[in-house]
Amino acid sequence: MKIYTFLFLPFFLLLLLSTCCFAQLHLNFYHNSCPNVESIVRAAVKQKFEQTFVTAPATLRLFFHDCFVRGCDASVLIQTNNHTSEKDNAENLSLAGDGFDTVIKAKAAVDSVPGCKNKVSCADILALATRDVVALTGGPSYDVELGRRDGRISTRKSVRHHLPQPGFGLNQLNAMFAKHGLTQTDMIALSGAHTIGFSHCKHFSKRLYSFHGKNRVDPTFNPTYVDELKKECPRNVDQRIAVDMDSTSSFTFDNMYFKNLQMGKGLFTSDQVLFTDPRSRRTVNLFASNNTAFEQAFVVAMTKLGRVGVKTRNQGEIRIDCSSVN
């Protein structure tokens, strides 16, 4: 009995710690210190969104990349002079600047309100802004738990092996998400965010030109879609060229991503495998046929994602400048 107690103790402590941290998050965290924080952030995000649609996918992706590395603590926003922070890792270099700018502008708007200055964390502002861009593009609005503190550590090497890759299979995806307490259904729902995403050609060109064996083109690709992609992403294309992840309704947050998977129009291997693998196909089919089911699952998954590795109270700080520690 003592042996088993010893073996399971670390997991129990980890579970207790994570439960302790996100239990300190709650919906009315800023009720006294900055009661209008949500409307302030929403207005700033809406203004930014009206300037450029890229605001939406950029902010959503920024939130995901932040939470999967060191937890939802806005450490991805930190910028260092010697280029050693998370945002300097090769996997984060493609994060669009509009996502960072959204948080900066929302932070400035919050701090301009008497009584709110330096009261709201950058991590919470990013979480709220992410909810707002989803709603602005036609997706569900949902309650955001608040009370996160900003992390003080951000290193380039900490990103390594912590973000899903375009070539991942289902086992790899499930294993990575499970580390953060996210289920396969959560993973599939969060993948649905690609309905408003975009990608540079280099991340999927292998599927078009040099797959493997006798198949130069990935056979799970829809042939018509292959022709379209080859026009947009010819060999040796400019690395700055990007295409929509959802070729049908890229400006609307809907379940078309899943309908595209049914037709062989998943841009990444990690997208298409959700349909080709029978273990996940049923969920894809459900979300493709029922947008409400997708939205409900997405809200559940985003709430769980927003709890990953959060820092509260004296575990972090409220940054005066989101791009640098105090």
Side-chain angles (χ1 to χ4, degrees), residues 41-64 77 94-106 125-137 193 196-198 244 250-251 253:
V41 170
R42 187 178 300 113
V45 173
K46 185 174 184 291
Q47 182 177 29
K48 172 68 178 173
F49 176 76
E50 290 173 346
Q51 294 170 356
T52 172
F53 178 83
V54 177
T55 296
T59 304
L60 185 50
R61 187 164 178 243
L62 186 66
F63 181 64
F64 182 86
L77 302 175
S94 63
L95 289 172
D98 286 297
F100 294 92
D101 193 47
T102 298
V103 180
I104 291 171
K105 283 183 165 55
I125 289 175
L126 175 55
L128 288 170
T130 301
R131 183 268 309 277
D132 294 337
V133 296
V134 169
L136 284 167
T137 51
I196 58 169
F198 57 87
D244 295 324
S250 60
F251 291 90
F253 192 99

Side-chain angles (χ1 to χ4, degrees), residues 13-77:
L13 290 176
L14 178 63
L15 181 63
L16 183 63
L17 181 61
S18 62
T19 302
C20 168
C21 291
F22 79 70
Q24 293 174 17
L25 301 179
H26 55 86
L27 301 180
N28 298 311
F29 187 83
Y30 296 104
H31 177 71
N32 294 320
S33 58
C34 186
N36 296 322
V37 61
E38 295 203 32
S39 60
I40 298 168
V41 170
R42 187 178 300 113
V45 173
K46 185 174 184 291
Q47 182 177 29
K48 172 68 178 173
F49 176 76
E50 290 173 346
Q51 294 170 356
T52 172
F53 178 83
V54 177
T55 296
T59 304
L60 185 50
R61 187 164 178 243
L62 186 66
F63 181 64
F64 182 86
H65 277 232
D66 181 49
C67 292
F68 257 49
V69 181
R70 311 192 78 91
C72 306
D73 65 351
S75 54
V76 72
L77 302 175

Side-chain angles (χ1 to χ4, degrees), residues 117-188:
K117 188 172 183 178
N118 300 331
K119 297 288 180 63
V120 183
S121 69
C122 300
D124 277 346
I125 289 175
L126 175 55
L128 288 170
T130 301
R131 183 268 309 277
D132 294 337
V133 296
V134 169
L136 284 167
T137 51
S141 185
Y142 52 90
D143 293 329
V144 177
E145 297 171 332
L146 301 170
R148 300 168 189 79
R149 292 282 176 156
D150 298 322
R152 301 185 180 94
I153 300 173
S154 181
T155 64
R156 186 169 55 193
K157 65 180 181 180
S158 64
V159 179
R160 194 180 309 149
H161 307 308
H162 283 85
L163 294 172
Q165 301 299 306
F168 270 11
L170 188 64
N171 288 339
Q172 292 168 298
L173 290 168
N174 281 337
M176 179 165 283
F177 279 70
K179 289 180 181 179
H180 301 296
L182 298 165
T183 67
Q184 177 174 284
T185 300
D186 295 329
M187 178 271 292
I188 297 171

